[in-house]
């Protein structure tokens, strides 16, 4: 295929005419497809339906230690669920607090707590003139929204295929005491799908923060969300690496079963050092009397252990794989060689990230919308919703069927082509 | 019976000797009873076990409107659950946001939000030199703990049998712009069991706050928690009264099913004006992707409607009544006429509040503890844990069996008598 940039104006104009014809045909179809959010599809939800029988009216509602899950108690989660989440997060049970139905809520609370009360005794951030967070980009819009509402200044850090630009991370963290945190999705990153290399994890663990209250916000949202059995990303254990490096308190790890059991009806957890846990638990004791322990019991009784969980995730992978492949194969078939976009082929997670020619993302999303295909808003993957290059688009293949994904992706590439030609003709 | 204060020193000493004999007998029994927290008893928890079958692997998981409860969406709660909680809280569905498993958590978040972001556009409380809350006393320790951790100054307001001292409330609220809130448990108050009179509710609704961001924190924790079918307290609808008085935004109402279905696995809700709801929802959208909608569905499918709920609460009342009566009858039988303590006979809720002679509460709780009967710590019902008179003791009769409650109360009155005599002999 000839790269668009090497085409003559006439070639572009003639191609544009042909694409516009395709566009009108697509428009006539009146499609309604959504690739906007990482929602599990109906077949995935069906996988977890038997979980709703795992605890019923005849169940023994006591934990292994004999605590009644139906009553108050076990603020840090029931023992067997702490074990279960620890195994999933590859940490020790003693480092885990099991919380409510949303890891996003734990992240929000963790930032909110730091703003109001400080971090393990440091000055509350609300008393400081300036608080900054590093934001590897493209990243997760809901992370950025949390730091935004608290008025925390966000600094873009380029995200490469092996992780964030660590030279830049080190420069900021080790020199600027206003830098209090960094948002990370270390495995099957949202949205690019990349996983951090061992070297990147080690460099994280060996940061020498200028701020004592600097923390790594390690959102391990996709820790066991593999697409393939034989090609799985593995990342180093950041908590262990931080301990080794003499910074046991430097990281909070977050995870949930939102995309394992049911979004909104799963369980979430935070894994961190004993000192951090104590500080969190002291605050949490004021915030709530406890989390939903029956749901914790339901999860453990259903999944049984890490092996049960892995088998369950294998089934999720089987359902997701054709959807990802429908997108990726179409992108490859239709766009390879045209030099109007790049993407990474992820081995897990929930997203595919597409980098269009600079200045084209908004136009592509707009055209898709006009044809009935809803994408995440352009810019959403950047702090303040501002993609400086107007280039990145997040594709969420999980919710539609594989057939719908194929149809939606055909629309997507059509719009990429058209928007790119329009851009080139403008120049 | 002769009042202790009218007894001679010799009479007191001889009574003391007899009571000390009883004390030693009790000590030898090595009891272990807990009247400390408002935990439902095992028979109450059993009432809700069938709820665990209300949603199972064969259930239709869609709401009446067709939304899938297993996936993201419905941030303000599923429609039928908003209706259900609205009926319970005696407000309109459009005024209700259904949240997670804990109304305490909503209250914490509501205060936290005001501290960080302000109230509907007002100055965030963290930017103010002084923020004050009024605290009717005795009251709920966990309310006071929330305001305490945020450094909010708490002002004691006497709570009478018809509600807080409204002259004092009006004086503070209408004149001091630093007064931003008041904690209320309007029905079957924690711990005194009293309910606010219509006049008190109307005076609340007609407050003319000096602070635009003043709100009434109306914790309707025991809204349908009656002990008797034929003697139920009813309170005026504060939201309606505030609307009538031209202050629709002045109140947040909180409630949950923690003591209806399962503590920790129930659902909670906030009811308030449209303007307040919008502000809350905007913040909540950053904090979480949504609450546990399957649990919302489970509740609605089990209780069906307000009639089902009332029938369920009638059963709770039947189980709780003998426990309350064991305490109250023993107090009456053993203490009437002695003038060493006062209490109110509640018609609902979870607590009995006992006012000992000034200076005796700590001693009584200590003696009970030594005999194996755990009570809520003396002072816990006051801000900062400081009961200025060292007089109030909260009794929670729900968890032990009626027989255990009887035994525990006998210990309690023994300790009340002994501590009172010791106090009188000191003087």
């Amino acid at each position: 295929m000839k790269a668009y940039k090497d085409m003559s104006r006439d070639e572009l104009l003639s191609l544009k005419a042909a694409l516009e014809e395709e566009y009108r045909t697509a428009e006539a179809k009146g499609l309604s497809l959504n690739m906007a959010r990482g929602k599990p599809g109906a077949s995935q939800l069906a996988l977890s339906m038997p979980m709703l029988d795992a605890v019923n009216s005849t169940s023994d509602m006591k934990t292994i230690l004999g605590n009644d899950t139906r009553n108050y108690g076990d603020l840090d989660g029931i023992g067997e669920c702490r074990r279960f989440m620890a195994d999933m997060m590859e940490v020790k049970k003693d480092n885990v607090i099991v919380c409510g139905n949303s890891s996003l809520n734990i992240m929000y609370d963790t930032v909110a707590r730091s703003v109001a009360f400080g971090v393990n005794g440091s000055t509350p951030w609300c008393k400081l003139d300036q608080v900054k967070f590093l934001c590897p980009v493209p990243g997760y819009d809901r992370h950025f929204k949390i730091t935004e509402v608290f008025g925390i200044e966000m600094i873009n850090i380029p995200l490469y295929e092996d992780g964030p630009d660590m030279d830049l991370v080190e420069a900021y963290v080790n020199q600027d005491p206003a830098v209090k945190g960094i948002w990370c999705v270390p495995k099957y990153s949202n949205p690019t799908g990349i996983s951090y290399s061992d070297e990147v994890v080690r460099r994280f663990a060996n940061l020498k923060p200028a701020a004592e209250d600097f923390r790594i916000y390690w959102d391990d949202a996709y820790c066991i969300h593999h697409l393939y059995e034989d090609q799985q990303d593995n990342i180093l254990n950041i908590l262990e690496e931080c301990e080794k490096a003499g910074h046991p308190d430097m990281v909070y790890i977050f995870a949930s079963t939102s995309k394992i059991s049911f979004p909104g009806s799963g369980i979430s957890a935070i894994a961190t050092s004993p000192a951090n846990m104590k500080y969190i638990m002291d605050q949490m004791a004021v915030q709530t009397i406890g989390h939903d322990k029956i749901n914790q019991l339901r999860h453990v009784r259903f999944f049984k252990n890490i092996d049960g969980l892995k088998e369950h995730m294998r089934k999720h992978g089987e359902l997701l794989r054709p959807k990802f492949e429908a997108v990726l194969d179409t992108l490859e078939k239709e766009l390879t060689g045209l030099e109007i976009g790049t993407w990474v082929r992820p081995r897990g997670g929930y997203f595919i990230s597409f980098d269009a020619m600079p200045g084209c993302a908004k136009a592509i999303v707009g055209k898709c919308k006009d044809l009935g295909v809803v994408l995440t808003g352009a810019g959403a993957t950047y702090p303040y919703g501002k993609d400086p290059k107007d280039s990145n688009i997040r594709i969420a293949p999980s919710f539609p069927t594989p057939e719908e994904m194929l149809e939606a992706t055909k629309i997507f590439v059509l719009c990429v082509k058209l928007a790119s030609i329009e851009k080139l003709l403008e120049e």
Side-chain angles (χ1 to χ4, degrees), chain A:
Chain A
M1 302 287 280
K2 190 170 180 179
Y4 279 19
K5 68 173 170 47
D6 300 330
M7 287 186 183
S8 70
R9 196 170 173 86
D10 281 352
E11 280 176 307
L12 287 172
L13 282 169
S14 121
L15 187 54
K16 180 164 178 275
L19 291 168
E20 278 166 350
E21 184 59 35
E22 272 187 62
Y23 188 91
R24 279 187 295 274
T25 311
E27 202 167 26
K29 285 189 191 167
L31 295 175
S32 174
L33 296 166
N34 194 313
M35 312 199 281
R37 291 226 77 97
K39 284 172 78 165
S43 54
Q44 288 178 271
L45 298 174
L47 289 178
S48 296
M49 285 303 284
M51 193 177 82
L52 299 177
D53 300 331
V55 167
N56 63 46
S57 63
T58 65
S59 297
D60 174 7
M61 301 300 286
K62 293 221 160 68
T63 65
I64 293 171
L65 288 179
N67 299 343
D68 195 333
T69 56
R70 300 169 305 173
N71 223 327
Y72 297 117
D74 278 325
L75 181 59
D76 52 359
I78 63 172
E80 49 262 61
C81 197
R82 294 178 66 199
R83 154 74 53 212
F84 174 74
M85 293 302 279
D87 287 348
M88 181 178 106
M89 297 166 84
E90 298 181 335
V91 296
K92 294 193 214 75
K93 177 188 160 192
D94 289 345
N95 292 111
V96 171
I97 303 169
V98 181
C99 299
N101 72 323
S102 158
S103 56
L104 187 74
N105 207 331
I106 314 181
M107 294 179 232
Y108 177 94
D109 283 349
T110 305
V111 173
R113 199 182 292 123
S114 307
V115 171
F117 309 119
V119 179
N120 299 18
S122 75
T123 306
W125 297 351
C126 64
K127 305 288 181 202
L128 301 175
D129 289 334
Q130 210 176 23
V131 175
K132 301 175 190 169
F133 255 59
L134 306 184
C135 299
V137 286
Y140 181 33
D141 53 348
R142 285 179 173 271
H143 288 164
F144 303 153
K145 205 72 201 170
I146 289 174
T147 23
E148 184 177 349
V149 294
F150 285 104
I152 294 170
E153 183 186 333
M154 293 180 280
I155 298 164
N156 292 356
I157 303 287
L159 182 72
Y160 304 132
E161 289 203 28
D162 63 345
D165 182 327
M166 290 309 294
D167 292 339
L168 210 50
V169 170
E170 286 164 354
Y172 275 114
V173 173
N174 298 353
Q175 287 162 34
D176 185 351
V179 172
K180 304 296 189 188
I182 179 167
W183 288 117
C184 297
V185 184
K187 198 166 175 178
Y188 304 135
S189 173
N190 176 355
T192 69
I194 65 97
S195 296
Y196 293 9
S197 71
D198 291 355
E199 195 204 330
V200 163
V201 176
R202 282 199 197 96
R203 287 179 73 175
F204 263 110
N206 283 284
L207 287 169
K208 312 259 176 297
E212 55 161 2
D213 49 353
F214 169 84
R215 294 290 183 275
I216 303 163
Y217 294 70
W218 196 259
D219 183 2
D220 211 0
Y222 309 106
C223 51
I224 50 164
H225 301 57
H226 311 290
L227 286 171
Y228 301 91
E229 269 199 279
D230 54 348
Q231 298 172 54
Q232 299 189 346
D233 289 1
N234 282 299
I235 57 167
L236 273 187
N237 184 320
I238 182 73
L239 194 54
E240 243 170 56
E241 293 300 319
C242 283
E243 282 165 12
K244 277 189 218 165
H247 305 131
D249 301 335
M250 199 169 60
V251 64
Y252 303 120
I253 310 177
F254 309 95
S256 84
T257 69
S258 288
K259 291 182 175 83
I260 296 173
S261 55
F262 297 115
S265 302
I267 49 177
S268 63
I270 179 169
T272 192
S273 70
N276 289 346
M277 285 174 77
K278 189 189 172 320
Y279 191 76
I280 292 168
M281 290 292 293
D282 285 350
Q283 301 294 342
M284 198 183 272
V286 179
Q287 187 172 13
T288 179
I289 295 187
H291 302 290
D292 186 341
K293 299 190 302 298
I294 294 182
N295 204 31
Q296 294 176 18
L297 189 71
R298 185 179 287 120
H299 276 72
V300 177
R301 294 262 171 99
F302 176 61
F303 291 113
K304 292 189 175 67
N305 52 40
I306 184 72
D307 293 329
L309 182 61
K310 282 181 179 167
E311 172 57 19
H312 186 82
M313 293 313 289
R314 194 186 56 74
K315 295 177 193 164
H316 273 288
E318 272 177 18
L319 293 168
L320 284 170
R321 207 183 309 136
K323 302 181 183 190
F324 274 76
E325 290 181 347
V327 178
L328 293 163
D329 293 350
T330 307
L331 293 181
E332 273 169 34
K333 187 173 148 221
E334 296 285 336
L335 300 181
T336 302
L338 305 187
E339 297 184 30
I340 56 173
T342 58
W343 61 93
V344 172
R345 185 175 265 269
R347 289 183 285 267
Y350 261 67
F351 301 103
I352 293 161
S353 174
F354 184 86
D355 282 313
M357 283 170 47
C360 287
K362 274 189 192 139
I364 293 167
V365 171
K367 282 182 196 298
C368 281
K369 192 180 169 198
D370 291 342
L371 296 185
V373 174
V374 178
L375 289 161
T376 310
T381 52
Y382 280 75
Y384 311 105
K386 286 183 198 159
D387 175 357
K389 289 190 192 154
D390 184 28
S391 162
N392 187 253
I393 297 172
R394 186 181 81 164
I395 299 172
S398 55
F399 193 68
T401 64
E403 295 70 32
E404 288 169 337
M405 268 323 292
L406 183 63
E407 184 149 31
T409 311
K410 284 181 180 165
I411 299 293
F412 177 75
V413 295
L414 170 63
C415 296
V416 170
K417 288 176 183 174
L418 255 179
S420 305
I421 289 177
E422 286 169 5
K423 185 78 193 168
L424 287 166
L425 288 171
E426 266 176 27
E427 282 165 6

